[in-house]
Amino acid sequence: MRSRTLTLTAAAGAALLATAVLPANASGASTREGSVSAADLLAKVTSCSQISNGKYKTDDETSASVPVCGKNGAVFWKADMDIDCDGQRTAKCSEDTDPWYQDDTAFHQSDGKPLRADALPYVVVPSSSSLWNYGSAGIKGGGVVAVIYQNKVEYAVVGDTGPTKIIGEASYATAKALGIDPDPENGGTDSGVTYILFKNSQVSPIESHSAAVDLGDRLAQTFIRNN
């Protein structure tokens, strides 16, 4: 729910380089959640049938280069990952740790509270605009997303919305699970992240990561069969 700029990348260049050379298992995360491998999913998204009315930027000052692509039963994009720490205030996510912090998320837990970015893997989608309307594409709050990075698959939910012209952001917990530096100010990665969002899916309750993994695994198997 915020707009980042390249000042983040400039200030954090050394940190990002250090992150890039970390061992693949530095976070202790497994190579995948569920039964579908990263390689099998990536094999289905090698080409893009663009469904967005133009392309997105990955940061305020970059050129627009990222299209939203359509597949049977899903949409996808390949971008960077900025860290979203919005929602419930915690030791890891607050005004003290994140200069862009906001105390709310677009979608809420079953108890009405904002999501908790440091505990729940979720993805940020661009707010609807003439460029692309996620709702019209069958994407909704709580929808399942397979996030892929360096041979790891992490299932997340659609949890927040961001700027209308920028794409590539996920929660602290998503980044940590994938071995990406989750620091909201200096973390993230500049490229190499694939986001596959399954149409007309919804995890209930949205805050249940185990439910997201169970549903995501079934949808990923269907996605592999149908594409």
Side-chain angles (χ1 to χ4, degrees):
M1 296 176 67
R2 60 177 173 271
S3 177
R4 293 178 180 267
T5 70
L6 280 184
T7 55
L8 166 62
T9 302
L16 289 172
L17 287 172
T19 301
V21 298
L22 285 173
N25 63 352
S27 71
S30 60
T31 56
R32 67 172 182 254
E33 291 186 322
S35 62
V36 180
S37 71
D40 286 344
L41 287 168
L42 291 175
K44 300 298 182 178
V45 293
T46 56
S47 61
C48 176
S49 176
Q50 183 171 327
I51 62 171
S52 54
N53 298 316
K55 297 181 180 180
Y56 286 91
K57 300 178 178 184
T58 56
D59 291 288
D60 277 333
E61 299 171 27
T62 60
S63 60
S65 61
V66 179
V68 177
C69 310
K71 299 291 286 189
N72 289 329
V75 304
F76 75 92
W77 55 80
K78 299 181 180 183
D80 65 342
M81 184 184 287
D82 291 327
I83 308 303
D84 190 326
C85 231
D86 293 341
Q88 293 188 43
R89 188 176 284 103
T90 67
K92 296 183 177 70
C93 292
S94 70
E95 298 91 340
D96 295 331
T97 64
D98 182 2
W100 302 275
Y101 175 75
Q102 297 183 43
D103 62 1
D104 200 6
T105 50
F107 307 106
H108 292 169
Q109 295 180 163
S110 55
D111 62 3
K113 294 180 180 179
L115 302 182
R116 181 174 166 177
D118 66 351
L120 180 68
Y122 71 73
V123 165
V124 181
V125 296
S127 295
S128 295
S129 69
S130 59
L131 187 56
W132 182 58
N133 185 319
Y134 66 86
S136 297
I139 306 303
K140 62 185 74 175
V144 183
V145 187
V147 189
I148 306 162
Y149 179 73
Q150 291 189 350
N151 200 38
K152 296 185 181 73
V153 180
E154 178 70 10
Y155 289 108
V157 293
V158 175
D160 205 356
T161 57
T164 58
K165 296 182 180 180
I166 296 177
I167 207 164
E169 188 173 3
S171 69
Y172 183 109
T174 310
K176 184 177 180 181
L178 290 168
I180 296 170
D181 182 356
D183 182 81
E185 184 171 8
N186 296 319
T189 184
D190 283 338
S191 63
V193 185
T194 299
Y195 304 80
I196 302 174
L197 293 77
F198 298 110
K199 295 180 180 178
N200 302 312
S201 63
Q202 192 160 32
V203 174
S204 183
I206 190 174
E207 66 269 20
S208 174
H209 181 57
S210 61
V213 174
D214 289 345
L215 180 56
D217 188 51
R218 296 197 299 272
L219 292 172
Q221 293 176 40
T222 302
F223 178 76
I224 295 295
R225 289 196 300 269
N226 293 346
N227 287 280

